[in-house]
Amino acid sequence: MQLLAIVTMLIDHVGLIFFPDSPGWRIVGRIAFPIYAYFITVGYRMTSSRPKYLLRLAMLAVIAQVPYMLAFDTTHYNVIFTLLASALVLLAIDGLLASRLPRAVRWLAIVPLTLAAALFMTELPFDYNAYGLLLILIYRYSDKGRTVLLHLLLNALYYVLSGPDWGIQMFSLVPTLLLVYGAELRAELNRVRVPRWLWRAFYPAHLAALAAAEFILRSR
């Protein structure tokens, strides 16, 4: 699954930078983010030290920011900031759910907290902004029987809000279907082990390489 996320992200970014009028690259790329979002929920749940886990995300986000800005000619914040902010929201929500506060009070805190985080991520903006946060919340808190439906409804909501350009994001349902129903295929994919250093370093490294390639091509 990690290798699939890496390869499809690279295809997506190559298409976005060098072949912006060819939608096939972007369609393949819709596979990547849901896998990264899912692995955030897994990493957050299974890490032996959440502070260290969050610190690693913060460091990768900072390292990747300049290559991200150069590669895509943007001042937005890269997707690792989205993953980091979402992990912090998970931490806050889990803390509230585990508290001894009355159930109604807990939800009175969770709902505005989530809305505030979604607004913050949209206004800055972060890559995938509130959509990324909501998808991570779906992966974290929904049962398997509802995950695909909730992801579909999330995509439909954004389609209504953002217009036809968002239609390509419907292909992001493919990895969610794989995560929910494709246990045997996932097991086969996971036979290929991605070294931890490659998994962590690939995002900033490939952005730096793409930014360099784009600069060289434009200089000719």
Side-chain angles (χ1 to χ4, degrees), residues 53-215:
Y53 181 75
L54 294 170
L55 179 60
R56 285 195 297 269
L57 282 176
M59 291 174 62
L60 284 173
V62 172
I63 292 170
Q65 185 59 24
V66 171
Y68 174 79
M69 294 169 69
L70 293 174
F72 299 122
D73 189 25
T74 182
T75 57
H76 295 180
Y77 291 87
N78 70 74
V79 74
I80 304 183
F81 280 107
T82 305
L83 302 178
L84 171 62
S86 299
L88 289 170
V89 172
L90 294 181
L91 185 65
I93 291 176
D94 283 353
L96 287 167
L97 291 175
S99 71
R100 296 183 178 181
L101 294 170
R103 181 183 179 88
V105 174
R106 280 180 280 170
W107 282 105
L108 283 173
I110 288 171
V111 171
L113 168 70
T114 303
L115 292 175
L119 179 62
F120 176 78
M121 294 165 70
T122 300
E123 288 299 317
L124 279 181
F126 287 9
D127 193 12
Y128 278 100
N129 52 68
Y131 176 90
L133 169 63
L134 295 174
L135 183 58
I136 287 172
L137 293 178
I138 288 171
Y139 285 153
R140 172 72 171 123
Y141 297 111
S142 67
D143 58 63
K144 287 188 176 181
R146 298 178 181 176
T147 300
V148 174
L149 175 60
L150 289 173
H151 189 178
L152 175 61
L153 291 175
L154 177 63
N155 282 353
L157 173 64
Y158 268 77
Y159 183 87
V160 171
L161 294 175
S162 304
D165 288 344
W166 189 260
I168 196 173
Q169 193 63 26
M170 289 297 180
F171 290 96
S172 67
L173 285 167
V174 173
T176 299
L177 288 166
L178 177 60
L179 289 166
V180 174
Y181 299 113
E184 293 184 3
L185 180 54
R186 289 203 316 273
E188 289 298 318
L189 289 171
N190 288 333
R191 288 176 182 268
V192 181
R193 297 289 183 177
V194 176
R196 187 175 297 177
W197 65 266
L198 178 60
W199 175 246
R200 293 175 179 173
F202 186 81
Y203 184 77
H206 94 282
L207 288 178
L210 290 174
E214 185 181 21
F215 176 78

